């Protein structure tokens, strides 16, 4: 059976965060909490809510440069990332450009077994050579890699899926954004991704499907496998 789903939550208030987490975990395997959607003054207060579910949570604090919503300065964001790391979530998502340019953060995150190094291209999908080089650079920091691009055609999605065959030695998550990337969001778990991402109600990324839509697709696929005696 395949099809683990992580629901991305972009709650703007503590109350909304609590509601969204409870609803999402009833429908999915894990949640990605986008702390950058919260006012930075509320982030410490959210800890009580997430303490009991952190083992099923990915913590993310996106900067504006990464199309995130965080409104604090660089120093504040780095300190909050360190605080989130100390909570020991399932994964802490840290952008490649952030960890690659900040020695203090790289040094602080000593055990990177639960650090997910991410890289996004919100405009296009570079050449295969560029993508492979980027993954090899990211591997220097962690064995958990997330690489996401914008698909301008379906072939872009297929090129990303081909990366799973080339990087079997790491925990790779790669798929494409946009309408042409939807197929890669669905199929990535068949190619080797530990999970894919979906939304709860409001879409956070281009081409993102809701968890209900994703679950319906995976249920149909898994039923087909069972009916035809196919195991994986």
């Amino acid at each position: 059976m395949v099809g683990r789903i992580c629901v991305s939550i972009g709650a703007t208030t503590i109350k909304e965060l609590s509601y969204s987490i409870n609803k999402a975990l009833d429908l999915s395997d894990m949640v990605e909490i986008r702390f950058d959607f919260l006012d930075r003054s509320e982030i410490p207060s959210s800890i009580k809510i997430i303490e009991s579910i952190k083992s099923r949570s990915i913590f993310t604090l996106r900067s504006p440069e990464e199309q995130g919503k965080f409104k604090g300065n660089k120093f504040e964001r780095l300190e909050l990332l360190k605080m989130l790391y100390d909570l020991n979530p399932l994964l802490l998502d840290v952008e490649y450009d952030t960890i690659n340019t900040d020695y203090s953060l790289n040094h602080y995150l000593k055990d990177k077994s639960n650090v997910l190094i991410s890289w996004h291209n919100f405009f296009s999908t570079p050449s295969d050579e560029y993508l492979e080089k980027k993954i090899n650079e990211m591997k220097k920091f962690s064995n958990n890699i997330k690489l996401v691009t914008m698909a301008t055609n379906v072939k872009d999605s297929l090129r990303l899926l081909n990366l799973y065959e080339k990087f079997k030695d790491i925990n790779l998550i790669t798929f494409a954004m946009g309408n042409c990337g939807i197929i890669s969001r669905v199929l990535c778990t068949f190619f080797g991704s530990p999970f894919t991402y979906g939304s709860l109600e409001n879409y956070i990324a281009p081409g993102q499907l809701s968890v209900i839509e994703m679950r319906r697709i995976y249920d149909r696929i898994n039923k087909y496998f069972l009916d035809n005696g196919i195991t994986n």
Side-chain angles (χ1 to χ4, degrees):
M1 298 296 173
V2 295
R4 298 183 75 211
I5 303 171
C6 175
V7 171
S8 299
I9 296 175
T12 57
T13 67
I14 298 294
K15 182 178 179 180
E16 182 187 357
L17 178 63
S18 179
Y19 166 81
S20 298
I21 288 174
N22 290 331
K23 186 173 182 180
L25 289 178
D26 283 340
L27 299 168
S28 65
D29 303 282
M30 63 195 78
V31 293
E32 177 196 42
I33 301 175
R34 289 286 302 272
F35 285 97
D36 51 294
F37 276 69
L38 289 169
D39 186 280
R40 65 182 183 276
S41 64
E42 291 190 303
I43 293 177
S45 303
S46 67
I47 302 307
K48 293 181 181 179
I49 297 174
I50 62 176
E51 181 64 34
S52 64
I53 53 92
K54 63 184 182 181
S55 63
R56 297 176 63 189
S57 301
I58 300 170
F59 293 171
T60 308
L61 186 66
R62 289 271 182 261
S63 66
E65 292 76 16
E66 292 279 341
Q67 296 199 4
K69 307 277 187 186
F70 185 70
K71 293 182 173 59
N73 59 42
K74 177 182 176 181
F75 175 79
E76 290 171 323
R77 194 172 80 92
L78 291 176
E79 289 305 300
L80 285 170
L81 280 171
K82 293 175 184 177
M83 181 196 77
L84 294 174
Y85 170 79
D86 287 338
L87 293 173
N88 195 30
L90 175 67
L91 289 169
L92 173 68
D93 184 322
V94 180
E95 303 92 339
Y96 169 71
D97 289 343
T98 296
I99 199 167
N100 189 46
T101 57
D102 194 279
Y103 172 80
S104 65
L105 180 64
N106 181 33
H107 180 72
Y108 192 87
L109 308 181
K110 292 181 179 180
D111 178 9
K112 295 185 176 61
S113 61
N114 68 332
V115 175
L116 176 65
I117 306 299
S118 63
W119 181 82
H120 296 75
N121 185 319
F122 297 96
F123 307 102
S124 64
T125 300
S127 67
D128 293 350
E129 293 76 16
Y130 184 94
L131 296 174
E132 291 174 28
K133 179 182 178 182
K134 181 63 68 175
I135 291 176
N136 281 318
E137 292 171 351
M138 296 165 73
K139 283 170 55 178
K140 298 174 183 178
F141 296 99
S142 175
N143 205 44
N144 306 307
I145 304 297
K146 178 186 177 186
L147 183 144
V148 180
T149 66
M150 178 63 72
T152 57
N153 54 64
V154 174
K155 286 186 177 180
D156 286 342
S157 286
L158 300 180
R159 289 199 293 117
L160 290 181
L161 293 176
N162 286 336
L163 292 172
Y164 287 103
E165 185 66 26
K166 298 176 181 179
F167 292 94
K168 292 182 177 180
D169 60 324
I170 61 174
N171 299 317
L172 178 63
I173 303 166
T174 184
F175 54 82
M177 295 178 284
N179 289 337
C180 293
I182 291 175
I183 187 173
S184 64
R185 287 182 179 275
V186 174
L187 294 180
C188 65
T189 59
F190 291 84
F191 282 74
S193 179
F195 54 85
T196 189
Y197 290 78
S199 67
L200 188 57
E201 294 168 349
N202 299 318
Y203 303 118
I204 292 179
Q208 195 174 60
L209 298 175
S210 73
V211 61
I212 292 176
E213 291 171 317
M214 292 292 291
R215 184 62 68 200
R216 185 179 298 122
I217 293 170
Y218 283 149
D219 285 347
R220 290 287 297 272
I221 293 173
N222 285 323
K223 183 178 184 301
Y224 175 84
F225 283 174
L226 287 173
D227 291 345
N228 289 275
I230 302 172
T231 59
N232 60 315

